[in-house]
Amino acid sequence: MGSLRTQVGIIGAGPAGLMLGHLLHLNGIDSVIVENRSREYVIDRVRAGVLEQGTVDLLHAMGVAGNLQREGLRHDGLYISFQGQRHHINLTELTGGRAITVYGQNEVVKDLIDARVATSRPLYFEAEHVSVGALDSSSPVIRFRHGDVDHDLRCDVIAGCDGFHGVCRPSIPAGVLSMYERTYPFGWLGILAEAAPSSDELVYTLHERGFALFSMRSPKITRLYLQVPPDEPIEKWPDDAIWEEMRTRMTTRDGWTPTVGRIIQKGVTPMRSFVAAPMRYGRLFLAGDSAHIVPPTGAKGLNLAASDVLVLASALKAFYEGGRTERLDEYSDICLRRVWKAQRFSWWMTSTLHRAPEETAFDHQRQIADLDYLTSSRAAMTSLAEQYVGLPAEVSFASAGLPS
Ligand code: FAD
Ligand code: DHB
C-alpha cells in the first residue's frame, strides 16, 4: 500500500483535469492527476473541435498554445443553411473582433499532456479501482491501484474532472444534488474523412431529412455530422450511404457540396442536456462534463470545462495564498450561471436545427421562421454570434495568476 499526499487530487485527464493541473502548476500548487484510461486512448478519442475565443486566450495565457497557434484554423464566421440556401454570419464583425478556432480536442489534450510531463508532476494513466472518500472532511482521499500497488492519496481538495460516466458525482450522498436532464430523440453520426474542406467555414444545415454539419480538422481533413436516431447502429451506414446522405442534406442550390474522400473514423453519439447542482460537496469540486453535458450543436462542452477550471483555479489560488474559502464557496454559483446560459443556447441550436420525430407541420414552419429571422436580422445574428464565440467568464485571468 502506497501512501501519497498532495494539495489537489484531480480525477480525469480530459481537458478539464489537464487544464486545471497546469493552472495549479503555474501557481505553485501541487496536484496529482489520476486517469483510468491509457495515454493513447485519451489522445485518440475524437471529439470536440471548436474553441471559443476565451478558451484560445486561456490556452495562450497558460503558455500551452504553440501548436494551436501554428495549426489551429481561425474562423471569422459560419453558415446557417436551410431550404437549399447558405446564409453567412460574420462572427468577428458582430462581436467586435472575436472569433472561434477549429482545433481538435485530441490535439488540445496532447498539448496539455506534453506540458504536464514537462513539469514532472505526477499523472497516472491506467489507474484501476478509482474511488473517493472522506469528502466532507478536511482531508479527502482518492484510492486507486496502479501497476500492482494500491494507493491512498490524501488531498486538501479533490477536483472531479472525470466526465459524465466518472466516479465523483455518484460518490456524493443521495439527496445532495439536484439533477436537471433532457434527452433528445436523435443522435449524431460523425465522420472524419480524407477530403479537403470545400468551405473555409462551418455550415450548420436544417434539411427536410434532418440536421447536418460540415466542419473540418485541417486543410486536408473534413469532419461531418448527420442527425440519426439515438441508438442507430453504425453498421447500418456503409461509407457510400453516409456520403449520399451527407450530400443530399448539405448540397445547396448554388451547387456547394462537401468533397467526398476516404472515411477514416466514424461513430454515433447520443445527445443530452444535463446539469447537477451544486457542483460541490464538501471538499469535492465537480468540473466539466462530470457536472454538466450539453448537446453538441452549440459546440460548448469543452469550452465550459475550460471556464469551470479557470474559476476553480482562481478560487484555489485564494485558498492557498490567504486561507480564504469564500471563493471556493462561490465556485458552483459562478460556474452555473455560465453553464445555464450555454445550456439554453445549446438547447436552442439543437431544437432549431433538428427534426424531431414527434414534431408537427406547425413546429417545422416555426423552425424555418426562426432561421429566416436569424439570418435576416442583425440583432438576432449578433445574439447568436456573441454566444457562439463565447460569453465572458466571470473571473479574470489575473485572479488565476495568469497574464491578462
Ligand atoms: P472528459 O473529456 O470526458 O474527460 C474525463 C476524463 O476522466 C476521461 O479521460 C476519462 O477517461 C476519465 N475518467 C472517467 N472515469 C474515471 C475514473 N473512474 N477514474 C479516473 N478517470 C476517469 N465540446 C465543445 O466545446 N465543442 C465541440 O465542438 C464539441 N463537439 C463534440 C462532439 C462530440 C461527438 C462529442 C462526444 C463531444 C463534443 N463536445 C464538444 C463535448 C466535449 O468533448 C466534452 O465536453 C469535453 O470532453 C469535456 O471535458 P472533460 O475533461 O470535462 O471530460
Ligand atoms: C464540431 C463539433 C460540434 O459539436 C460543433 O457544433 C461544431 C463543430 C467539430 O467537431 O468540428
Side-chain angles (χ1 to χ4, degrees):
M1 164 75 88
S3 251
L4 302 169
R5 156 105 220 131
T6 190
Q7 290 178 301
V8 181
I10 300 175
I11 307 193
L18 290 164
M19 284 178 91
L20 179 64
H22 201 69
L23 285 165
L24 296 177
H25 163 75
L26 295 172
N27 285 288
I29 300 169
D30 285 339
S31 65
V32 172
I33 305 181
V34 179
E35 163 65 49
N36 65 354
R37 300 291 194 156
S38 69
R39 180 178 176 145
E40 297 68 40
Y41 181 94
V42 167
I43 290 176
D44 288 345
R45 217 164 19 194
V46 179
R47 289 173 122 190
V50 173
L51 305 184
E52 293 175 352
Q53 181 74 58
T55 306
V56 171
D57 294 345
L58 178 59
L59 292 166
H60 271 283
M62 289 167 63
V64 293
N67 294 336
L68 167 61
Q69 189 146 21
R70 270 189 303 279
E71 285 155 32
L73 305 170
R74 180 187 152 106
H75 286 196
D76 291 327
L78 56 74
Y79 291 93
I80 300 284
S81 176
F82 62 101
Q83 296 185 314
Q85 221 180 326
R86 281 186 300 163
H87 302 260
H88 192 245
I89 298 187
N90 189 324
L91 300 171
T92 303
E93 192 208 328
L94 294 164
T95 59
R98 296 166 75 74
I100 53 127
T101 297
V102 172
Y103 187 64
Q105 177 170 331
N106 39 342
E107 301 298 328
V108 174
V109 165
K110 197 174 349 146
D111 296 344
L112 289 165
I113 291 175
D114 288 346
R116 178 72 181 183
V117 170
T119 67
S120 304
R121 293 190 187 270
L123 165 52
Y124 293 90
F125 285 107
E126 298 179 66
E128 296 172 291
H129 310 299
V130 180
S131 67
V132 294
L135 300 176
D136 51 359
S137 77
S138 59
S139 182
V141 64
I142 302 175
R143 298 196 175 87
F144 63 100
R145 167 170 274 236
H146 191 253
D148 286 337
V149 184
D150 287 316
H151 292 283
D152 237 0
L153 170 63
R154 286 276 159 194
C155 317
D156 299 328
V157 163
I158 296 177
C161 302
D162 51 348
F164 185 68
H165 300 287
V167 290
C168 289
R169 193 183 65 251
S171 303
I172 296 175
V176 171
L177 298 179
S178 298
M179 315 275 195
Y180 305 87
E181 186 160 18
R182 183 186 182 99
T183 52
Y184 297 83
F186 35 76
W188 278 13
L189 185 160
I191 63 164
L192 275 179
E194 282 172 348
S198 57
S199 162
D200 290 342
E201 293 175 340
L202 272 59
V203 186
Y204 285 85
T205 301
L206 172 65
H207 184 266
E208 291 287 318
R209 297 172 60 86
F211 172 81
L213 171 60
F214 175 93
S215 181
M216 66 205 68
R217 283 296 175 272
S218 74
K220 291 186 175 152
I221 303 286
T222 302
R223 175 92 170 130
L224 302 173
Y225 298 96
L226 273 184
Q227 172 186 348
V228 293
D231 44 8
E232 185 85 329
I234 191 71
E235 297 72 37
K236 264 182 78 176
W237 288 88
D239 292 2
D240 287 352
I242 294 178
W243 281 119
E244 194 182 326
E245 191 64 26
M246 291 285 181
R247 285 164 74 93
T248 301
R249 293 193 196 177
M250 289 187 200
T251 304
T252 44
R253 284 206 296 272
D254 60 6
W256 179 79
T257 194
T259 317
V260 173
R262 190 169 73 91
I263 297 180
I264 48 178
Q265 191 269 346
K266 57 181 171 181
V268 175
T269 328
M271 290 167 83
R272 60 158 71 78
S273 304
F274 172 83
V275 177
M279 291 167 55
R280 174 198 188 163
Y281 171 69
R283 287 284 182 103
L284 169 67
F285 294 83
L286 302 177
D289 277 17
S290 72
H292 42 73
I293 297 280
V294 284
T297 327
K300 290 287 163 242
L302 166 60
N303 295 293
L304 284 178
S307 53
D308 285 355
V309 298
L310 173 65
V311 179
L312 187 53
S314 142
L316 286 167
K317 177 171 152 65
F319 176 67
Y320 282 110
E321 284 181 357
R324 286 168 44 213
T325 55
E326 311 90 73
R327 302 290 313 286
L328 286 172
D329 294 339
E330 290 165 358
Y331 167 74
S332 176
D333 287 347
I334 292 178
C335 291
L336 285 171
R337 279 195 285 274
R338 196 167 188 282
V339 165
W340 273 114
K341 283 177 226 157
Q343 285 289 358
R344 195 213 64 82
F345 178 67
S346 305
W347 160 84
W348 175 78
M349 285 282 280
T350 303
S351 33
T352 306
L353 287 163
H354 290 70
R355 299 216 62 185
E358 75 278 9
E359 76 177 25
T360 61
F362 177 91
D363 295 329
H364 188 54
Q365 292 308 317
R366 185 195 46 73
Q367 281 181 308
I368 300 293
D370 214 333
L371 293 172
D372 198 5
Y373 172 61
L374 168 67
T375 52
S376 58
S377 152
R378 189 175 171 90
M381 282 191 275
T382 305
S383 170
L384 177 128
E386 68 177 2
Q387 296 180 83
Y388 196 75
V389 302
L391 294 174
E394 279 189 39
V395 306
S396 66
F397 286 3
S399 73
L402 298 172
S404 314

